[in-house]
Amino acid sequence: MAKKRSTGVHRIGVLTGGGDCPGLNAVIRAVTKTAILDYGIEVVGIHDGFAGMVEDSMGPLRYDAVSGILTQGGTILGTSNRANPFRYAREEAKGRVTFTDRSDEAIRRCRERGLDALVCIGGDGTLSIAAQFHQKGLAVVGVPKTIDNDLSGTDVTFGFDTAVSIATEAIDRIHTTAMSHHRVMVVEVMGRYAGWLALHAGIAGGGDVILIPEIPYEIDVVCDFVQARSGRGKRFSILVVAEGAKAKGGDLVVQRLVKTSHDPIRLGGVGQAVASQIEEKTGVETRVTVLGHIQRGGSPTARDRILATRFGHCAMELVARGRFGTMAALKGDEVKGIPLEEAVRQQRNVPPDCPLIATARSVGTCFGDRLGR
Ligand code: F6P
């Protein structure tokens, strides 16, 4: 088959940054296969996100290396959510961390390796760094990933569908044990500062109460709701709580600070806080399950495999057409390039008028702000 003509690009680098996410390998595979099959372009895999650029840890990514990885979770390239070349962290004695700008060094490494362009697969942190490199003259194209689905610019990110499926299956399983023991069961899900994951999994799993960051909750409302259900003979309740949920007038519950990370805050613990208060106020035995990284691990769903493949293919097309400083994005049915800045401009939260919230309320779901039906 005749090769398409490339726009002077002979070799590209690919990296995955930030937290891992189901579908990363599917993107790497699509970028690499499109580069090799359609354009005869060589691909170099950069290891552990931007750390590989600074530390010059990279190697050829041949066709065989990406063959068979479509269904695999994680990333064959490794990742890092701590390595920002513009603020490169070094941990010194007694936990002291110093930061230096090593972006020029990282660019020099790419040039020495003969990389004409870079495909950066990541969330807001990775894509912001990619945008900064683009401003410094590197030819960069982005691919949006995150299970949180909180990136503006694209209708949806890959990884989200898988995380929703995993959380939904967990809620289904919690349901049967909750019913058997007449307990309140709290399921804490990820999502950072956005409630997409809790909202979707909560609806799919038939959660009775869904708490999301965008709708601050009142614990008394939640307790009244649980008791009203008991009064109707429903002696159990399922609460799906986003890790970023907070009480009206209250604060986020922070689990730890990772000083070297782009966003040092790691959320976690709100599920336990809500559960303790429910048990204390209602006297009903209340248990907590924190799903954690299970939501990010393992094989992507069919939908995520397809989206990741479309994103990877689109990213390579953008490279071949010289459309740098862009990112592959899903808009309606179409995957196309949009300016990188658009993706990182602001976080995408669940809007107050989200039709899914209205739908959930119509089937009696309580969001902790007012009693459901
Ligand atoms: O952004 C993806 C995500 O899994 C969030 O949902 C979560 O808050 C965070 O990453 C956890 O990060 P880490 O793996 O560094 O603990």
Side-chain angles (χ1 to χ4, degrees), residues 67-300:
S67 187
I69 65 168
L70 172 68
T71 62
Q72 281 175 25
T75 159
I76 59 163
L77 294 175
T79 188
S80 161
N81 50 11
R82 299 168 187 226
N84 176 356
F86 292 87
R87 232 179 140 256
Y88 205 70
R90 208 176 112 171
E91 290 191 59
E92 297 182 347
K94 294 187 186 152
R96 215 170 76 88
V97 182
T98 54
F99 296 93
T100 40
D101 183 349
R102 296 183 68 182
S103 56
D104 288 333
E105 223 175 302
I107 291 175
R108 199 169 60 245
R109 300 276 190 219
C110 290
R111 305 241 193 272
E112 282 164 5
R113 291 278 191 161
L115 304 183
D116 301 310
L118 215 57
V119 174
C120 300
I121 312 163
D124 58 349
T126 303
L127 296 173
S128 312
I129 296 168
Q132 279 178 272
F133 272 123
H134 177 66
Q135 277 156 18
K136 282 193 90 163
L138 262 195
V140 175
V141 165
V143 178
K145 71 89 232 201
T146 167
I147 63 162
D148 306 331
N149 200 29
D150 61 351
L151 283 179
S152 53
T154 182
D155 292 355
V156 69
T157 52
F158 73 86
F160 176 63
D161 186 63
T162 307
V164 170
S165 299
I166 295 167
T168 302
E169 197 203 326
I171 297 165
D172 288 350
R173 289 176 186 278
I174 295 284
H175 238 114
T176 57
T177 167
M179 283 167 75
S180 309
H181 286 269
H182 320 298
R183 284 172 173 157
V184 173
M185 295 293 241
V186 175
V187 184
E188 182 181 303
V189 302
M190 282 185 164
R192 243 177 15 154
Y193 309 111
W196 294 109
L197 188 47
L199 180 62
H200 282 245
I203 291 174
D208 305 299
V209 179
I210 301 175
L211 303 182
I212 59 174
E214 294 84 351
I215 306 178
Y217 66 87
E218 288 180 58
I219 198 67
D220 289 339
V221 170
V222 175
C223 292
D224 288 350
F225 183 83
V226 165
Q227 281 176 321
R229 270 177 61 80
S230 290
R232 294 198 303 273
K234 295 276 188 188
R235 294 170 62 207
F236 72 96
S237 289
I238 306 288
L239 275 76
V240 181
V241 179
E243 62 181 358
K246 50 180 188 251
K248 208 170 182 178
D251 290 323
L252 288 167
V253 182
V254 176
Q255 193 200 52
R256 63 166 71 199
L257 291 174
V258 181
K259 281 193 236 164
T260 48
S261 177
H262 165 75
D263 175 2
I265 295 172
R266 292 296 177 274
L267 300 171
V270 64
Q272 184 58 61
V274 168
S276 304
Q277 291 179 77
I278 293 175
E279 193 165 271
E280 195 189 304
K281 286 176 185 272
T282 66
V284 182
E285 189 180 4
T286 305
R287 298 293 184 93
V288 189
T289 304
V290 180
L291 295 185
H293 292 83
I294 286 173
Q295 294 158 102
R296 263 174 33 189
S299 190

Side-chain angles (χ1 to χ4, degrees), residues 196 199 203 350-362:
W196 294 109
L199 180 62
I203 291 174
V350 178
D353 59 349
C354 178
L356 266 185
I357 293 178
T359 303
R361 288 198 200 271
S362 300

